[in-house]
Amino acid sequence: MKNIDIKVLEEKFQKKIDQDIKIEPNDWMPDDYRITLIRQISQHAHSEVVGMLPEGNWITRAPNLRRKAVLLAKVQDEAGHGLYLYCAAETLGADREETIDDLHSGKAKYSSIFNYPTLTWADMGAIGWLVDGAAIMNQVPLCRCSYGPYARAMVRVCKEESFHQRQGFEIMTKLSNGSQEQKDMAQDALNRFWWPALMMFGPNDAESKHTAQSMNWKIKRHTNDELRQQFVDVTVPQAEILGLTIPDKDLKWNEKKKGYDFGKINWDEFWQVVGGNGPCNKERVDARRKAKEDGKWVIEAAMAFANKRSAKKSA
Amino acid sequence: MTKNNQDWPLWEVFIRSKQGLNHKHVGSLRAADSSMAIENARDVYTRRMEGISIWVIPSNLITASDPAEEESMFEPATSKVYRHPTFYDVPDGISHM
């Protein structure tokens, strides 16, 4: 296509975005818009799928049947969320198996939070409360994302996600009203997950290389720092209700900005974890790779069976 | 991995949320055959009583209109405003029309 034609198409495209008209799969879109979305949606999908691992770790050891049923339902939801998102990526022409192979080879990233271990039952509470809480804060604006299939997937995800956060907070409430040992366990989980939860919103705005373009395309509606601030502001009072202490000595209410000031995030740790050197990176990717390899025969057998059956039908 | 005939085909899923309403497109999934597609659709798209009936269809069987031809395709509808009741003047005092 001639450069002049592309320029006209790009202008038309941006005009649609500016008028809040959704982009649908067969519409013309700039290559970079497509590439950005495929990267973001597939990494989001990987996060949902890898996110099943830290929680799956506790299904067999949930303290009672109710907790076990809830945790199972939650982990099943995460699998569904992964599926909605892989499907959304496929509408952009991404090959699902290729995107999954990119996860396994380390080329594609996923949310760094899932590279932290889940050491006690209280971690199930902290993850639901903080990690799902942060995820909801990230995902609610994505329901208005300019790309139709992604926005629609996020509407479904957000509807389901709200029970996840509540079940986590319920676990934290129970523990922080329990024995001293249980309280300590809840505090310990908060201590370990607080900072990684803040890191979930990504680098500071000044360091975030994709933010400006993504906001212009209305893929992103708020900057990383805006969302992080919002998360801190709603979460601190919740910790107070639990009677737990946020592990940040610099945390204090700032009357002028009507929000909390908080301490400096350890970005070295963030980049180490993103770069593959977190406590569980290897374990997580190995588990995914093993699942694909060990499950390969099931995929093949189901396909062989389906082919045989349709051959019989047409014979 | 390259595309091969071992990959499960893609299916589009339509759900009737309750008796009396149309089936509505809700998303897609991969499955080896139609009965697996129905089962997977139940597990993925109706875990919270979202539906009472499911249709699945292989995605490659759908023929779609071309968004680039949107204008020529749908313009005749916009220019024929006389197809809408609001186009017509009704004298004052006339009711039930």
Side-chain angles (χ1 to χ4, degrees):
Chain A
M1 210 180 295
K2 278 189 291 202
N3 282 344
I4 183 90
D5 294 338
I6 290 190
K7 220 174 156 317
V8 170
L9 286 168
E10 275 176 355
E11 274 166 17
K12 261 175 99 177
F13 174 83
Q14 190 62 45
K15 216 170 138 194
K16 265 165 99 175
I17 300 260
D18 294 343
Q19 293 173 335
D20 277 328
I21 297 174
K22 295 270 189 248
I23 308 301
E24 294 295 343
N26 293 333
D27 293 347
W28 187 88
M29 60 186 85
D31 286 345
D32 284 344
Y33 178 80
R34 187 185 298 276
I35 290 164
T36 300
L37 274 171
I38 290 178
R39 188 190 63 238
Q40 181 172 335
I41 298 173
S42 60
Q43 292 187 4
H44 196 161
H46 300 331
S47 302
E48 298 284 354
V49 171
V50 176
M52 290 193 279
L53 298 169
E55 292 182 300
N57 184 33
W58 280 92
I59 290 175
T60 56
R61 293 176 290 164
N64 58 44
L65 191 57
R66 179 181 182 272
R67 298 279 178 216
K68 189 178 195 163
V70 168
L71 189 57
L72 256 177
K74 177 178 193 285
V75 172
Q76 191 191 18
D77 276 352
E78 309 296 1
H81 298 174
L83 182 124
Y84 305 154
L85 288 160
Y86 283 125
C87 288
E90 281 187 296
T91 65
L92 291 157
D95 182 279
R96 186 183 309 196
E97 291 308 318
E98 263 173 42
T99 60
I100 291 172
D101 289 342
D102 284 348
L103 167 70
H104 295 177
S105 72
K107 192 176 150 204
K109 305 287 179 219
Y110 53 90
S111 182
S112 56
I113 192 84
F114 301 119
N115 290 316
Y116 291 87
T118 44
L119 304 176
T120 72
W121 171 251
D123 291 3
M124 297 303 97
I127 286 181
W129 172 38
L130 301 173
V131 176
D132 290 298
I136 291 170
M137 213 137 260
N138 255 326
Q139 289 168 346
V140 166
L142 285 173
C143 296
R144 294 188 298 127
C145 159
S146 61
Y147 187 59
Y150 192 26
R152 291 192 287 274
M154 290 326 297
V155 170
R156 302 186 66 87
V157 168
C158 286
K159 258 190 208 159
E160 301 183 358
E161 202 84 46
S162 56
F163 117 68
H164 298 179
Q165 194 189 15
R166 284 182 183 203
Q167 66 87 35
F169 197 74
E170 191 192 69
I171 292 173
M172 293 305 273
T173 311
K174 212 61 184 187
L175 290 174
S176 47
N177 288 302
S179 66
Q180 188 57 48
E181 219 181 341
Q182 287 173 314
K183 273 183 215 166
D184 293 346
M185 205 160 94
Q187 181 64 54
D188 168 64
L190 171 58
N191 292 348
R192 282 181 291 108
F193 278 95
W194 175 254
W195 290 103
L198 293 194
M199 294 175 198
M200 282 176 70
F201 296 95
N204 284 133
D205 294 348
E207 315 289 327
S208 176
K209 53 182 178 174
H210 301 302
T211 294
Q213 180 62 79
S214 285
M215 289 193 58
N216 204 24
W217 278 332
K218 295 190 182 169
I219 293 173
K220 239 175 141 158
R221 296 285 187 151
H222 306 283
T223 69
N224 297 352
D225 286 332
E226 283 166 10
L227 291 167
R228 188 168 13 244
Q229 182 68 50
Q230 202 183 334
F231 176 75
V232 171
D233 291 346
V234 304
T235 311
V236 172
Q238 293 169 355
E240 280 165 11
I241 287 172
L242 291 172
L244 300 177
T245 311
I246 304 266
D248 178 358
K249 59 179 173 30
D250 297 320
L251 184 80
K252 62 168 190 290
W253 178 254
N254 180 333
E255 183 58 31
K256 218 164 86 193
K257 75 170 185 187
K258 297 276 175 216
Y260 287 90
D261 290 331
F262 52 94
K264 203 175 162 322
I265 290 168
N266 181 350
W267 292 112
D268 284 344
E269 176 183 324
F270 174 77
W271 290 115
Q272 281 294 324
V273 180
V274 170
N277 300 317
C280 299
N281 293 57
K282 190 175 177 308
E283 191 184 327
R284 301 292 186 237
V285 175
D286 283 352
R288 291 312 315 155
R289 225 184 263 138
K290 185 173 183 307
K292 179 162 179 174
E293 278 158 21
D294 291 356
K296 211 170 158 200
W297 72 271
V298 180
I299 308 267
E300 287 170 2
M303 204 58 229
F305 179 68
N307 287 339
K308 203 168 140 188
R309 210 156 47 166
S310 77
K312 226 183 228 168
K313 226 185 252 173
S314 59
Chain B
M1 201 166 100
T2 48
K3 278 250 173 256
N4 60 48
N5 57 9
Q6 292 301 343
D7 284 345
W8 290 356
L10 194 63
W11 301 76
E12 298 302 321
V13 180
F14 299 79
I15 304 237
R16 185 201 294 286
S17 57
K18 63 177 198 187
Q19 212 68 13
L21 294 179
N22 293 329
H23 284 78
K24 201 176 152 199
H25 183 246
V26 292
S28 51
L29 51 77
R30 288 192 176 269
D33 60 21
S34 57
S35 54
M36 188 196 275
I38 294 264
E39 280 166 24
N40 289 357
R42 181 204 54 198
D43 290 346
V44 178
Y45 291 107
T46 64
R47 285 200 305 284
R48 290 178 172 81
M49 295 172 290
E50 289 95 335
I52 51 147
S53 163
I54 300 173
W55 288 351
V56 292
I57 179 167
S59 308
N60 62 11
L61 293 185
I62 291 182
T63 307
S65 65
D66 182 354
E69 288 169 10
E70 185 186 322
E71 240 165 88
S72 57
M73 188 87 167
F74 301 107
E75 192 282 331
T78 48
S79 64
K80 293 180 176 60
V81 286
Y82 45 83
R83 285 176 172 159
H84 296 277
T86 46
F87 177 76
Y88 300 92
D89 289 327
V90 177
D92 292 343
I94 299 286
S95 53
H96 304 295
M97 188 181 279

